[in-house]
Amino acid sequence: MATLQYSSLQDGGPDDLPRTLKREREAREREAREREARERETLQRDSLDAPVGRSDGADLGAPGHPGVHGAGMVPDLPVPPASALQHHVVVTRFQVPFFHLMGFFLKCVLAGIPALILLGALLYGAGEILQTYFPWLVKMRILVHFPG
């Protein structure tokens, strides 16, 4: 069986996320790059300030040693499980200009009119069918007559 490839729907594709989520993802990526750059600068500064040799013979670059790491070397840090990397977001404020919000709700009202007409027609048809096949279900009927 052939498999379908949806290249435009892959993670990181150009149009796979709304603009707000794209901005959030870009902000997180930027923060991660800045944090890595700060860590590299700190490691390089520490390696330049570190003593060249020690009299006790301890190897500062040995894995697991709490000493200074060489330039470009990153200490082995424990990797958190994937479940710990999930972030929970709580939206506390949503800013929308008043006229944009008003326009949105007016469009919603206009979009609901055909739905109401269709719903009324379906309910009328269902009532006529029930009255035709089950006339004893009618307990009360309101008749409106116009003089003509």
Side-chain angles (χ1 to χ4, degrees), residues 7-19 22 25-26:
S7 61
S8 64
L9 298 177
Q10 291 176 350
D11 188 30
D15 297 322
D16 66 337
L17 293 175
R19 190 178 337 163
K22 285 181 186 177
R25 183 181 62 190
E26 290 169 358

Side-chain angles (χ1 to χ4, degrees), residues 40-143:
R40 278 195 303 269
E41 289 175 6
T42 304
L43 290 174
Q44 288 176 355
R45 194 175 334 115
D46 289 345
S47 67
L48 293 176
D49 295 340
V52 176
R54 288 183 57 163
S55 59
D56 61 356
D59 184 12
L60 292 176
H65 191 277
V68 178
H69 295 276
M73 295 180 62
V74 179
D76 293 330
L77 298 175
V79 178
S83 61
L85 296 177
Q86 295 176 352
H87 298 284
H88 298 283
V89 177
V90 176
V91 177
T92 57
R93 189 172 196 155
F94 188 68
Q95 293 180 341
V96 178
F98 174 74
F99 289 109
H100 289 206
L101 192 63
M102 187 177 70
F104 172 75
F105 282 113
L106 284 174
K107 289 177 186 178
C108 289
V109 167
L110 292 176
I113 291 173
L116 288 174
I117 292 172
L118 182 63
L119 180 65
L122 288 174
L123 289 175
Y124 176 80
E128 288 296 317
I129 291 172
L130 285 174
Q131 184 178 352
T132 302
Y133 292 107
F134 306 103
W136 60 87
L137 290 178
V138 178
K139 299 284 184 186
M140 178 177 64
R141 178 185 288 179
I142 300 174
L143 298 175

